Amino acid sequence: MRMDETGGTDREATAESLLTAAEQAFLRAEFDVVRPLLQRLRSEFGEPVTEPADVRYGVLLAAMAARAGNWPAAIRLFPDLPDRAETGVIHFLAVHALRELAQEDRHADAGVAAVAIVLWAYLLDENGPGDFRALLTGQRGEAVPDALWEQAVERLRGRIADLLRTLDARAGRDALDAWHTAWEAECADGVIVFSGIPTDAGPHALISLNDAAWHLVDHGRGTDLLAADASRHPDFSLWPDDTPMRRAYTVPLARALADRGAEHVQGRRWSEALIDFGTAAQYGHTLTRRDKDAVVRAWRNVGRSRNGYGNDLHVRIDGLEQAYVLLPGDTSLATELTTELVRRGRQVTHTDPLESRRRFARALEVTPEDPAARAELDDLTGDEESFAGAVRGMLAQDPACRPARHWLERHSGERAVTLAVSGRMDEAQAAVREMLHYKDPAQQPPLKNNHTLIALLSLAARRTDSDSRAGLERRVELLNTAAAIPSRLQDHVRENLHEALLHLAEHLEAAGAVSDIIDLFLRDLMRTGASTRFDRIVESAYALRAAVRRQAGDLGGARRDLACAEAIGDGLPLQTPLSGTVSRKPRRDDLRQDTLF
């Protein structure tokens, strides 16, 4: 049966003719004719169920719903793919979506933004089936010149971006989760693969987090990516959280950090630059030649003022340590770090002998057998023992000399700590007895004084430098020694040891020392499960090292590291078999999230 323009019918109308007539009536804005036509189609032939009729029918229904302002219905009715639907009807729906977004008195439904992005991406794709340009040519009666077309498309894209920005601002979306980022990424790279309008999802139902992040980085908006990441993690950990949402954009995040590091170098913010490059390396970023040059420039200047006054040796050493992690083969850097460590050691030789020793010892780690560090360390030990002998002689001549007794009390306590850490416990106990004797000659101290020795080690641990790796390592060493001494205080000491281990792990995390974190874990100073944060750091270290090994072609090593990461994530000690009868929650080897379409 056929329906004429006045609504009349004849007996030769078909489902195709009714659908075509409804489309043509819609394009002529004869909306009062469209609905009766669609009703007759349904009543006489049923709703179309085969392509492309079902697509054309769905687009018509969605357009009619949008015209009536019923956007939830329009979004629900829109078919998965608009291919082969009438371009004019799609254009009508796309225009009304923009008008809905422009309403300032209410928040637009999230699906409306998705409709606008998907349909305009479809219409403006010159290689797609929509052929919107051909539609305009037909309406104008002549071809649209290239220059005019490009100008119009650019203005339209900008208008859509502005509307989406307003929508994002109303909803408080960050750049990584913004509709306008999805739209701009589509305009630049064509990243959207359309498979239906998401009714209750955000932009990542159209493009993946990874695509959104790469768009920001590739178009000079890495700072926006970093700001979005920081807002999502206010307690900002420099390592990826063990969540798919964070791992989805690890690689572009690393690139953004490296780019910001280069910007910090240009702005002469040396410490900030080294921190960013170090964090980028933690995420698996391999330094380019440009990055390495920037790191070199940063370490040459970090901690130094322009006029030579106000130099900060602490800042310089920390910066050099960070650079040394990034450029372990740079001999000039190693020499400079060694020199500054020796300089600092000399500064505090008399005011803080313990720090002085640590600085000289670290200098020897960086440059083994460095003559200056070795000589200073030997002199420091020799001078103190020689002076101690002189003080003992003074006290023998004048037993009432309190300054001599106090100095020897302190010296014996420090010796006890040094001997205990080196494993010479009997000598350490003897030094404790000496200390107690100098403190109160009338008392006869017992043969063993475990509580006192633990107290000395704990006090020395509290006095260590909490801002440097050497200080944190020293603290762990001291508390580990104390925890091994039998005492009813052992549980308390072990709690302090666990806290110190966590602080050291976080410091190594900030410096990008992945292998050092793993080495620290393998010392078995804290069992899996004692600290969730520590376990997460170690798990991430194994996962990141696995990624580096995989990139280097070491697939066996990568698999072993991933297995260790999984065991730690499941709360298993590494001594537990990593395969066989041990059950484990399913995990993915791929550290990145798949594209979310």
Side-chain angles (χ1 to χ4, degrees):
M1 186 176 294
R2 180 181 303 127
M3 179 170 289
D4 60 26
E5 294 182 358
T6 64
T9 64
D10 61 39
R11 297 183 178 276
E12 298 180 7
T14 64
E16 172 63 25
S17 65
L18 287 172
L19 183 58
T20 300
E23 288 175 332
Q24 296 305 311
F26 189 97
L27 294 177
R28 293 193 302 270
E30 297 173 355
F31 303 114
D32 57 337
V33 175
V34 175
R35 193 170 300 280
L37 285 168
L38 294 178
Q39 290 173 346
R40 290 203 62 125
L41 173 63
R42 287 193 298 270
S43 64
E44 296 189 18
F45 299 97
E47 294 186 358
V49 294
T50 59
E51 295 183 356
D54 60 337
V55 174
R56 295 163 59 195
Y57 178 75
V59 171
L60 265 176
L61 289 180
M64 289 293 288
R67 178 180 176 274
N70 188 355
W71 277 100
I75 295 166
R76 185 181 69 255
L77 292 167
F78 198 86
D80 286 348
L81 294 171
D83 291 358
R84 302 178 68 179
E86 177 61 49
T87 302
V89 180
I90 295 176
H91 176 250
F92 175 93
L93 187 58
V95 169
H96 274 66
L98 293 186
R99 290 176 180 172
E100 178 69 9
L101 290 178
Q103 297 295 325
E104 297 183 357
D105 58 340
R106 64 180 183 271
H107 292 289
D109 187 279
V112 179
V115 167
I117 292 173
V118 168
L119 295 190
W120 282 111
Y122 175 82
L123 290 171
L124 298 179
D125 181 4
E126 292 193 66
N127 298 319
D131 207 359
F132 179 51
R133 190 171 182 179
L135 174 67
L136 294 181
T137 297
Q139 292 179 343
R140 296 176 77 248
E142 58 179 335
V144 181
D146 289 344
L148 180 59
W149 169 258
E150 292 173 2
Q151 181 183 15
V153 167
E154 189 64 26
R155 291 181 62 183
L156 176 58
R157 285 175 171 169
R159 173 59 177 159
I160 295 172
D162 290 342
L163 289 173
L164 293 173
R165 284 193 187 93
T166 301
L167 183 64
D168 291 330
R170 289 173 182 168
R173 293 182 178 274
D174 59 41
L176 189 58
D177 195 35
W179 287 109
H180 82 267
T181 300
W183 170 246
E184 290 173 354
E186 164 61 24
C187 293
D189 304 311
V191 298
I192 292 177
V193 177
F194 179 48
S195 59
I197 298 294
T199 59
D200 58 357
H204 304 308
L206 299 180
I207 66 170
S208 68
L209 275 172
N210 189 62
D211 284 335
W214 271 121
H215 170 76
L216 295 173
V217 172
D218 290 340
H219 292 79
R221 296 180 58 198
T223 301
D224 291 339
L225 170 59
L226 295 174
D229 183 72
S231 69
R232 291 163 180 239
H233 306 84
D235 54 343
F236 188 61
S237 166
L238 297 179
W239 288 66
D241 288 344
D242 188 17
T243 63
M245 294 296 283
R246 185 74 181 276
R247 290 186 177 182
Y249 56 94
T250 295
V251 177
L253 184 65
R255 166 76 178 278
L257 286 163
D259 289 345
R260 190 173 69 178
E263 293 174 3
H264 282 322
V265 169
Q266 294 299 320
R268 305 178 69 85
R269 296 181 292 275
W270 315 117
S271 293
E272 292 88 339
L274 290 169
I275 290 172
D276 276 347
F277 280 122
T279 309
Q282 288 177 313
Y283 281 105
H285 177 72
T286 300
L287 297 184
T288 64
R289 170 49 56 189
R290 171 176 169 268
D291 294 337
K292 291 179 180 178
D293 290 343
V295 171
V296 169
R297 187 181 173 196
W299 76 252
R300 291 188 186 280
N301 291 279
V302 67
R304 289 174 170 170
S305 61
R306 293 188 179 185
N307 57 13
Y309 296 99
N311 292 347
D312 191 324
L313 193 52
H314 280 292
V315 173
R316 178 149 184 78
I317 290 175
D318 284 346
L320 291 172
E321 290 279 18
Q322 291 168 339
Y324 187 64
V325 172
L326 296 169
L327 304 174
D330 190 323
T331 55
S332 297
L333 171 58
T335 299
E336 181 67 15
L337 175 56
T338 302
T339 300
E340 297 292 30
L341 287 166
V342 171
R343 180 180 302 168
R344 176 58 183 171
R346 287 171 175 165
Q347 281 185 354
V348 296
T349 295
H350 301 296
T351 58
D352 192 342
L354 285 176
E355 182 188 354
S356 182
R357 287 192 185 94
R358 289 197 304 270
R359 298 297 188 181
F360 294 140
R362 175 58 181 157
L364 289 174
E365 289 178 5
V366 177
T367 307
E369 301 304 325
D370 177 74
R374 174 58 62 191
E376 292 289 351
L377 197 57
D378 291 343
D379 289 347
L380 185 62
T381 303
D383 287 348
E384 189 166 347
E385 288 304 317
S386 175
F387 185 65
V391 175
R392 290 189 188 97
M394 182 188 306
L395 188 61
Q397 294 179 2
D398 183 6
C401 182
R402 288 183 176 274
R405 182 176 294 111
H406 289 328
W407 190 92
L408 287 170
E409 178 187 345
R410 179 184 62 82
H411 173 69
S412 298
E414 291 175 355
R415 283 188 64 249
V417 168
T418 301
L419 291 166
V421 169
S422 66
R424 297 151 67 182
M425 281 298 175
D426 289 341
E427 296 177 64
Q429 290 284 4
V432 171
R433 291 195 296 274
E434 283 186 8
M435 182 194 76
L436 295 175
H437 171 71
Y438 289 126
K439 182 177 182 179
D440 186 359
Q443 296 293 327
Q444 183 63 35
L447 185 63
K448 287 190 176 182
N449 298 272
N450 288 357
H451 287 2
T452 303
L453 183 53
I454 289 173
L456 290 172
L457 289 163
S458 299
L459 178 60
R462 288 196 297 272
R463 289 176 173 173
T464 56
D465 179 9
S466 61
D467 296 326
S468 69
R469 172 174 174 170
L472 293 171
E473 288 176 337
R474 177 66 175 174
R475 178 176 296 176
V476 168
E477 185 179 36
L478 290 164
L479 291 173
N480 185 46
T481 302
I485 300 173
S487 168
R488 65 173 182 272
L489 302 175
Q490 198 170 56
D491 289 343
H492 178 68
V493 175
R494 190 157 296 278
E495 288 179 4
N496 292 337
L497 173 60
H498 290 174
E499 182 181 359
L501 283 166
L502 176 58
H503 290 166
L504 175 57
E506 289 175 334
H507 187 88
L508 295 174
E509 161 185 271
V514 173
S515 294
D516 290 342
I517 291 174
I518 294 172
D519 290 341
L520 178 64
F521 171 73
L522 293 177
R523 290 174 61 187
D524 202 23
L525 303 181
M526 176 164 56
R527 305 302 292 174
T528 303
S531 168
T532 302
R533 172 69 177 134
F534 182 82
D535 290 349
R536 180 171 293 178
I537 291 173
V538 177
E539 180 186 0
S540 296
Y542 271 115
L544 287 175
R545 193 173 72 174
V548 173
R549 286 180 165 177
R550 184 163 48 206
Q551 291 175 357
D554 181 9
L555 299 183
R559 282 193 294 270
R560 289 192 296 273
D561 278 347
L562 280 174
C564 292
E566 290 179 358
I568 296 166
D570 292 340
L572 302 176
L574 291 192
Q575 291 80 358
T576 301
L578 297 177
S579 60
T581 60
V582 178
S583 62
R584 181 185 301 118
K585 62 186 179 183
R587 298 287 294 269
R588 294 160 51 98
D589 285 348
D590 191 351
L591 300 183
R592 299 169 298 173
Q593 181 190 31
D594 288 338
T595 302
L596 299 177
F597 292 137

